[in-house]
Amino acid sequence: MIIVTGAAGFIGSCITARLNDMGYDDLIVVDDLNENFSKKRNLEGKKFASYIDKEEFLATLENIPVPESVIHMGACSSTTGTDAEYYERNNFQYTKRLAQWCFDHKVPFIYASSASTYGDGRRGYDDDESRLDELEPLNLYGWSKHKFDLWVMENRLRDKVVGLKFFNVFGPNEYHKGEMRSVVNKAYPQVVKDGRINLFKSYRSEYADGEQKRDFIYIKDAVDVVMHFFEHPDIHGIYNVGTGKARSWNDLANAIFNAVGKKPDIHYIDMPEQLRERYQYYTQASMNKLRRIGFCKTFMSLEESVKDYAGYLKNGSYI
């Protein structure tokens, strides 16, 4: 039996689907459908033994069989939230309590950290755990994830966990995320209907408009990384989950136009003032550490990923 939290969410639902594909259907899936009931679509067609509401889950832990593994993807992933107490309770304290239960029962614990922990990138994007205390996230979400990473290291628990610093993950099953959806998801309908895309202007002289860069990773590749650790429970630590290749927003826009067979028409718009001081102009995961522990898969290119995703968007389908 395997527990997946955040199982109706973006990454969690795709992990659940992959586990089903691998023959696992004795799953306990955990999420909060009261907060966003539309996520229920992400559980349709999935095979699992039981669903437990997030608020009830921790109280039921002692009454369920000890699982083979816990894959903890559940969290508030909004980078714009302002309720520090909520992030502390929902992202940090909840994760800490679940992790401690796993330690007590010797259960492998895989959890979602985030590239948001790297802040503005001045200290790079190297997942060297000895440099964690140098990082300064730019938002409460990033701080909540960073705080748990630090708790793991300060309490010498590194060899009991796998923490995954997801970079810019995009793909099917993210429709419910509101403003946290990827630009591909947001822009696709506009490209199909109007043949244009809006991107933020640059406010730094070293970056032309649309040339701000991100490490975009397709959901199918991200799930491959998660499954690598699931299948190798002897490997531990905190790792980046990106492609190691930064690409510009212009590249992403052009890939969308190409996927729908339209000529590029990009418009640059003002960035909201509240974002300008917290905006990341460049992210690129260092992937050497992941490669050293035996993950050899070649990631899909941005163009291949967007084309594949466009097929899901066109058909209104999910993973």
Side-chain angles (χ1 to χ4, degrees), residues 83-199:
D83 188 342
E85 183 180 345
Y86 177 71
Y87 282 100
E88 169 74 12
R89 182 178 69 255
N90 188 76
N91 287 10
F92 176 65
Q93 295 294 343
Y94 194 102
T95 303
K96 188 167 75 167
R97 185 175 170 192
L98 179 55
Q100 191 60 62
W101 182 85
C102 288
F103 303 154
D104 292 345
H105 292 80
K106 297 180 172 53
V107 176
F109 183 66
I110 300 172
Y111 72 92
S113 183
S114 171
S116 291
T117 58
Y118 289 113
D120 63 7
R122 282 180 296 173
R123 292 170 175 80
Y125 297 94
D126 191 336
D127 47 5
D128 179 353
E129 293 132 355
S130 68
R131 300 180 60 189
L132 274 178
D133 58 359
E134 300 175 12
L135 304 182
E136 296 182 7
L138 299 175
N139 51 61
L140 290 173
Y141 167 66
W143 275 112
S144 70
K145 292 296 187 179
H146 184 50
K147 187 174 180 179
F148 185 76
D149 292 342
L150 287 173
W151 178 79
V152 165
M153 297 306 297
E154 289 168 356
N155 289 277
R156 300 181 180 180
L157 298 168
R158 178 200 176 279
D159 292 338
K160 296 178 181 290
V161 306
V162 172
L164 300 175
K165 289 179 178 276
F166 291 101
F167 277 66
N168 282 67
V169 187
F170 69 99
N173 297 28
E174 64 167 318
Y175 60 89
H176 62 280
K177 291 174 65 66
E179 285 304 307
M180 293 298 107
R181 289 174 296 147
S182 71
V183 167
V184 182
N185 186 281
K186 294 178 183 177
Y188 179 84
Q190 185 181 21
V191 171
V192 171
K193 180 182 177 183
D194 303 323
R196 61 177 285 174
I197 284 180
N198 294 329
L199 297 177

Side-chain angles (χ1 to χ4, degrees), residues 142-279:
W143 275 112
S144 70
K145 292 296 187 179
H146 184 50
K147 187 174 180 179
F148 185 76
D149 292 342
L150 287 173
W151 178 79
V152 165
M153 297 306 297
E154 289 168 356
N155 289 277
R156 300 181 180 180
L157 298 168
R158 178 200 176 279
D159 292 338
K160 296 178 181 290
V161 306
V162 172
L164 300 175
K165 289 179 178 276
F166 291 101
F167 277 66
N168 282 67
V169 187
F170 69 99
N173 297 28
E174 64 167 318
Y175 60 89
H176 62 280
K177 291 174 65 66
E179 285 304 307
M180 293 298 107
R181 289 174 296 147
S182 71
V183 167
V184 182
N185 186 281
K186 294 178 183 177
Y188 179 84
Q190 185 181 21
V191 171
V192 171
K193 180 182 177 183
D194 303 323
R196 61 177 285 174
I197 284 180
N198 294 329
L199 297 177
F200 285 141
K201 294 177 181 177
S202 172
Y203 293 84
R204 287 171 54 175
S205 59
E206 63 267 39
Y207 292 91
D209 290 340
E211 287 302 306
Q212 308 98 314
K213 293 184 176 181
R214 291 283 190 279
D215 192 333
F216 302 103
I217 180 168
Y218 195 39
I219 183 61
K220 293 180 181 179
D221 287 331
V223 171
D224 282 341
V225 176
V226 178
M227 289 299 101
H228 181 80
F229 289 102
F230 171 73
E231 294 179 311
H232 296 85
D234 56 317
I235 301 175
H236 304 96
I238 299 174
Y239 297 84
N240 285 336
V241 183
T243 65
K245 296 180 180 179
R247 300 291 300 274
S248 72
W249 291 109
N250 286 330
D251 289 338
L252 183 71
N254 286 322
I256 299 171
F257 283 113
N258 185 62
V260 300
K262 291 196 175 185
K263 182 179 178 180
D265 182 14
I266 304 173
H267 295 251
Y268 302 102
I269 62 174
D270 292 335
M271 184 186 299
E273 289 191 17
Q274 65 268 27
L275 292 180
R276 294 179 192 179
E277 295 301 316
R278 297 184 285 118
Y279 186 79

